[in-house]
Amino acid sequence: MGVTADICDVHKDSVRLADNVFYVFGQKKSFSGPIHTVRVFEDNVLVKKALETIPEGSVLVVDGGGSKRCALMGDNLAAIAEKRNLAGVIINGCIRDSGEINEMPVGIFALGTNPFKSVKKGEGQNDIPLLFANAAWKPGEWVYADEDGILLAEKKLDE
C-alpha cells in the first residue's frame, strides 16, 4: 500500500482528508480497503455483527457519535477483525484493552480509550453514509489510513 503522503502527491484532486483526530492502535500502522459502515451510540452489537460479516480486506468505519463515555471495541472484537483478515477499523469513539490490542496484528484508529464497555441493545444502522471528522464516509468508497492521516477516495486508486 502506498503511504498517504505518496497518494496525495499523485492523486491530490481525487482524495478527501479526514480531520486528524484519531490515535492509532494495533501493530498495523497503515491499511486501505473498501468502506463498510455502522452508526451506533454507546452500543457495540452492530459493530460485532459487521466485523463478523463484512468481506475480507474491508475497512469497518464506525460512527459512535464521538462518545468517549464507553468503548465500542475491545480485544475480543479486535480478534475477530484479525481472524477475518479485515484491512482495518476506524472508530469515531473509543476502544478498550489497548495494551492487548497494541500487541495484535490489527490496525485500529479511534478517538481514544475508555475501560467501560458499551451497552448491548443492538440499536443503530448499517451500510449508510456517515459524516464525522469533517469527512463523508460512503459505503463502497475507499479509505487509505496511516500515521500521517486518513484519505478517502471514490474508488480504489493506483498505488
Side-chain angles (χ1 to χ4, degrees), residues 28 51-52 54 56-57 75-87 104-106:
K28 242 171 114 175
L51 290 168
E52 294 171 336
I54 66 173
E56 179 178 320
D75 60 340
N76 291 333
L77 295 191
I80 295 170
E82 175 189 352
K83 180 181 177 187
R84 297 211 51 251
N85 200 26
L86 300 182
M104 300 171 74
V106 295

Side-chain angles (χ1 to χ4, degrees), residues 100-146:
E100 291 87 346
I101 289 173
N102 284 335
E103 299 298 318
M104 300 171 74
V106 295
I108 300 168
F109 283 50
L111 297 180
T113 60
N114 186 311
F116 284 98
K117 62 182 175 181
S118 74
V119 298
K120 309 283 189 237
K121 293 182 181 176
E123 297 175 353
Q125 298 170 287
N126 295 339
D127 297 318
I128 60 166
L130 304 174
L131 184 60
F132 64 87
N134 204 28
W137 310 77
K138 299 174 184 171
E141 290 193 348
W142 276 69
V143 62
Y144 298 85
D146 67 17

Side-chain angles (χ1 to χ4, degrees), residues 10-86:
V10 177
H11 300 284
K12 178 181 152 196
D13 297 329
S14 301
V15 295
R16 307 180 307 273
L17 177 67
D19 285 350
N20 191 5
V21 296
F22 300 96
Y23 293 95
V24 183
F25 299 96
Q27 294 178 339
K28 242 171 114 175
K29 303 300 182 195
S30 67
F31 55 83
S32 67
I35 295 171
H36 289 265
T37 65
V38 174
R39 178 184 289 144
V40 296
F41 188 74
E42 299 179 0
D43 182 341
N44 74 350
V45 172
L46 294 182
V47 175
K48 181 179 181 189
K49 184 181 272 187
L51 290 168
E52 294 171 336
T53 58
I54 66 173
E56 179 178 320
S58 297
V59 176
L60 179 60
V61 177
V62 179
D63 185 358
S67 174
K68 295 183 177 181
R69 298 190 307 190
C70 67
L72 292 175
M73 175 181 266
D75 60 340
N76 291 333
L77 295 191
I80 295 170
E82 175 189 352
K83 180 181 177 187
R84 297 211 51 251
N85 200 26
L86 300 182

